[in-house]
């Protein structure tokens, strides 16, 4: 069953008259009649009861009309999404965004990619607010209503001033940091996200929204925070691995599973797998 033939069928089913359906479709009646007859032959059942007064749907025709409308509506939605010229990408951190964009453009050179950088208060990068189509971000966070794919996992450590006694240790635990001020995210921030970056328990400390605010909080106040290992934070800071913290996943997240978004997800997956192979 081709979509074009289904559109012919729906027109006849709604008009219940081949002549009116042909005029609606801007075609002559004989090819329309032949297309419907071929469809009935293909399905092995009659879709219409024909009479001099017109046509009426059979039981099979009623069933096909319901399904065909849904299928054609979905096809129209897919076509609209595939042909859209802009994809908005939310980014929290880098995560190879430039290389992912390059891989995506190989398949969709005509699509404009709009990048929306977000701060630490929204790990979904605006997905829930419908501000972006897809997000390159870091977890964990509340994934309810979202689709996600883990690209890799990164171990984390405590961000400390270089003159902090614990900065000389090879590895520590969250218990070693009890009694310290930890930088905090504002009220309303995703609770799963906030709990993780507080080491799994309530903490006190200055409120921050961006990575640079976290860095300055550690430098000026001696606050404690967490960060993925491997980030260069300068000579004044150290990131000491924490043994009892689960790794933080780098994920691509999206809401609507349209073909253009799926291609971006596949591009992100391909780039990260290639880099880690």
């Amino acid at each position: 069953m081709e979509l074009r033939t289904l559109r012919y069928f729906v027109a006849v089913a709604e008009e219940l008259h081949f002549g009116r359906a042909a005029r609606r479709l801007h075609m002559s009646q004989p090819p329309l009649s032949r297309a419907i007859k071929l469809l009935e032959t293909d399905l092995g059942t009659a879709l219409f009861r024909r009479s001099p007064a017109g046509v009426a749907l059979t039981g099979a025709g009623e069933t096909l009309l319901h399904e065909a409308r849904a299928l054609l509506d979905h096809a129209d939605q897919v076509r609209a999404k595939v042909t859209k010229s802009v994809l908005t990408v939310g980014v929290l951190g880098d995560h190879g965004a430039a290389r992912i964009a390059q891989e995506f453009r190989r398949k969709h050179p005509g699509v404009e990619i709009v990048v929306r950088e977000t701060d630490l208060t929204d790990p979904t990068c605006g997905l829930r607010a419908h501000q972006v189509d897809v997000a390159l971000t870091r977890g964990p966070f509340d994934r309810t209503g979202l689709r996600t794919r883990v690209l890799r996992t990164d171990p984390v450590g405590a961000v400390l001033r270089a003159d902090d006694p614990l900065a000389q240790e090879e590895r520590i635990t969250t218990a070693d940091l009890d009694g310290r001020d930890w930088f905090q995210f504002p009220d309303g921030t995703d609770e799963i996200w906030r709990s993780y970056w507080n080491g799994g328990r309530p903490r006190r400390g200055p409120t921050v929204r961006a990575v640079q605010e976290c860095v300055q909080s550690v430098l000026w106040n001696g606050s404690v925070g967490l960060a993925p290992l491997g980030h260069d934070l300068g000579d004044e800071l150290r990131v000491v691995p924490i043994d009892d913290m689960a790794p933080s996943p780098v994920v691509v997240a999206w809401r609507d599973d349209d073909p253009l978004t799926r291609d971006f997800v596949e591009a992100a997956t391909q780039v990260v797998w290639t880099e880690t192979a």
Side-chain angles (χ1 to χ4, degrees), residues 119-201:
D119 60 26
L120 297 172
T121 65
D122 181 13
T124 74
C125 303
L127 270 178
R128 296 197 189 284
H130 297 263
Q131 295 172 325
V132 300
D133 300 305
V134 62
L136 290 169
T137 185
R138 180 178 293 283
F141 55 85
D142 181 6
R143 302 184 186 186
T144 304
L146 303 177
R147 302 170 186 265
T148 60
R149 178 178 295 180
V150 176
L151 301 178
R152 70 168 191 266
T153 57
D154 293 334
V156 298
V159 182
L160 304 168
R161 268 199 322 230
D163 61 358
D164 191 302
L166 289 178
Q168 312 310 315
E169 300 292 330
E170 291 189 6
R171 309 188 72 83
I172 60 175
T173 67
T174 54
D176 295 322
L177 302 168
D178 287 347
R180 302 270 193 121
D181 283 345
W182 292 50
F183 51 70
Q184 301 295 301
F185 298 142
D187 291 341
T189 301
D190 183 295
E191 285 300 327
I192 296 175
W193 170 259
R194 181 156 62 173
S195 175
Y196 176 84
W197 295 108
N198 272 238
R201 53 174 290 187

Side-chain angles (χ1 to χ4, degrees), residues 6-249:
L6 288 179
R7 293 187 191 279
Y8 290 173
F9 164 76
V10 169
V12 177
E14 291 179 345
E15 297 292 341
L16 293 178
H17 193 282
F18 277 89
R20 289 195 298 269
R23 288 192 293 273
R24 169 174 156 180
L25 294 166
H26 305 289
M27 62 187 299
S28 60
Q29 183 174 334
L32 175 59
S33 298
R34 287 196 297 271
I36 298 300
K37 190 63 178 177
L38 286 173
L39 178 60
E40 291 178 315
T41 300
D42 181 42
L43 294 174
T45 187
L47 301 173
F48 297 100
R49 291 190 296 272
R50 296 160 176 81
S51 70
V55 295
L57 284 166
T58 64
E62 292 280 2
T63 299
L64 182 59
L65 178 60
H66 174 76
E67 299 295 339
R69 282 171 171 163
L71 181 60
L72 292 172
D73 181 63
H74 180 66
D76 288 341
Q77 293 178 32
V78 169
R79 183 180 293 106
K81 290 177 179 179
V82 169
T83 57
K84 70 179 180 181
S85 59
V86 178
L87 185 73
T88 304
V89 181
V91 176
L92 177 57
D94 182 1
H95 312 311
R99 294 181 295 279
I100 293 169
Q102 182 179 17
E103 177 67 20
F104 177 78
R105 286 198 303 269
R106 290 177 58 248
K107 188 171 183 180
H108 297 284
V111 174
E112 177 186 358
I113 301 174
V114 176
V115 176
R116 179 183 182 271
E117 292 193 39
T118 189
D119 60 26
L120 297 172
T121 65
D122 181 13
T124 74
C125 303
L127 270 178
R128 296 197 189 284
H130 297 263
Q131 295 172 325
V132 300
D133 300 305
V134 62
L136 290 169
T137 185
R138 180 178 293 283
F141 55 85
D142 181 6
R143 302 184 186 186
T144 304
L146 303 177
R147 302 170 186 265
T148 60
R149 178 178 295 180
V150 176
L151 301 178
R152 70 168 191 266
T153 57
D154 293 334
V156 298
V159 182
L160 304 168
R161 268 199 322 230
D163 61 358
D164 191 302
L166 289 178
Q168 312 310 315
E169 300 292 330
E170 291 189 6
R171 309 188 72 83
I172 60 175
T173 67
T174 54
D176 295 322
L177 302 168
D178 287 347
R180 302 270 193 121
D181 283 345
W182 292 50
F183 51 70
Q184 301 295 301
F185 298 142
D187 291 341
T189 301
D190 183 295
E191 285 300 327
I192 296 175
W193 170 259
R194 181 156 62 173
S195 175
Y196 176 84
W197 295 108
N198 272 238
R201 53 174 290 187
R203 309 281 183 176
R204 293 182 178 179
T207 299
V208 298
R209 292 177 174 272
V211 171
Q212 278 306 309
E213 292 179 9
C214 299
V215 171
Q216 295 303 320
S217 177
V218 176
L219 286 174
W220 287 89
N221 303 314
S223 304
V224 173
L226 303 182
L229 300 184
H231 287 246
D232 183 9
L233 298 178
D235 295 335
E236 298 86 2
L237 297 176
R238 299 284 187 273
V239 183
V240 181
I242 300 180
D243 282 336
D244 57 340
M245 283 290 299
S248 169

